[in-house]
Each structure stands twice: as C-alpha cells, then as structure tokens.
Amino acid sequence: MIAGVCAGVGQFFGIDANLVRIVFAVLTVFSAGAAALVYLLAWVVVPEEGEGGSIAENYLNKKKQ
C-alpha cells in the first residue's frame, strides 16, 4: 500500500481492495510497467477522501498564488 489508490478504487466499485491490488500487480507485470504509471497518475489526480483537491490541483493552485 503506497498511496491508497487500490483501496479507493475498491471502495468506489464495492469490491475488496486486495483484489484490486492483485489485478494491478498482474497488469503491471504483463503490461511492462504501464499499469504502474496508471497507478502513479491516479495518485496525483484523484483527491484523497475528505480532501478538497488532488495533489495536482493543490500544486497548480500554489503556483497561481
């Protein structure tokens, strides 16, 4: 568990987070790492539970100020 992406995806779709983790691991192996890039992208653009914005949104808002 690095950023909680799999747990969030599992909660959103109503499935066990461990199943999502296994799917991501298998996809990462068979996609030569492309699924790992998708995971990192989701970590940056999907806001954490209870937060007003994602990491990317917060970064862009800081740059505007």
Side-chain angles (χ1 to χ4, degrees):
M1 295 184 297
I2 297 174
V5 172
C6 293
V9 169
Q11 184 179 17
F12 183 79
F13 288 110
I15 56 177
D16 186 28
N18 290 323
L19 180 61
V20 177
R21 289 181 185 110
I22 291 169
V23 169
F24 259 110
V26 170
L27 287 175
T28 299
V29 169
F30 288 111
S31 67
L37 293 175
V38 171
Y39 184 94
L40 292 173
L41 181 64
W43 178 38
V44 172
V45 299
V46 176
E48 290 187 39
E49 185 176 9
E51 292 291 322
S54 68
I55 294 172
E57 286 176 308
N58 293 337
Y59 177 77
L60 292 174
N61 288 337
K62 280 185 182 179
K63 287 290 188 178
K64 288 182 182 178
Q65 294 176 356

